[in-house]
Amino acid sequence: MGGAACGVEASGWAVYEPDRDSAGTTWAAERTIRRERALAAHTAHLEQRREAAQEMRGEVWLPAGPGRLLRQAAARAGLTPQEVLAQLASRVAVGEDGTVSVAPFIPSR
């Protein structure tokens, strides 16, 4: 730490005074800002991971007939087939006996 002592001696200070050290104060403020940004980014990343863990992604292969009907329904609603499938999935009801059903609905934005 000879460099710091030399700086204090060169400045004429008897002891180091942080309030008078403009370079050190600036660096400390920048460090605090960098740390706050890093913590915010880390928190956002953790939240994304939590949300992603609750999501389910899948790939659906439909025969030509049902695929065509899905594309037609999507086109009428101004949606993509994936958006219609997402709306369909959000309306799924599972009975106590394990049956899966969806009440009729009109896809919409």
Side-chain angles (χ1 to χ4, degrees):
M1 291 216 189
C6 291
V8 170
E9 291 170 3
S11 68
W13 302 345
V15 294
Y16 177 72
E17 298 177 42
D19 294 342
R20 292 179 59 193
D21 184 357
S22 61
T25 302
T26 300
W27 182 87
E30 290 170 352
R31 180 178 175 268
T32 300
I33 291 169
R34 285 191 305 274
R35 183 177 186 278
E36 289 171 355
R37 287 181 183 160
L39 287 173
H42 180 68
T43 301
H45 176 71
L46 290 177
E47 182 60 27
Q48 282 180 327
R49 288 185 64 192
R50 269 194 286 280
E51 289 174 5
Q54 295 174 1
E55 292 178 359
M56 181 178 153
R57 294 182 181 264
E59 190 170 332
V60 178
W61 291 83
L62 297 174
R68 193 171 24 262
L69 293 173
L70 176 62
R71 284 191 299 277
Q72 289 172 355
R76 279 194 303 271
L79 302 169
T80 66
Q82 293 84 353
E83 291 170 319
V84 174
L85 287 174
Q87 289 183 20
L88 177 73
S90 70
R91 291 170 169 79
V92 167
V94 180
E96 289 181 18
D97 60 353
T99 57
V100 178
S101 63
V102 177
F105 73 98
I106 297 173
S108 63
R109 286 208 166 266

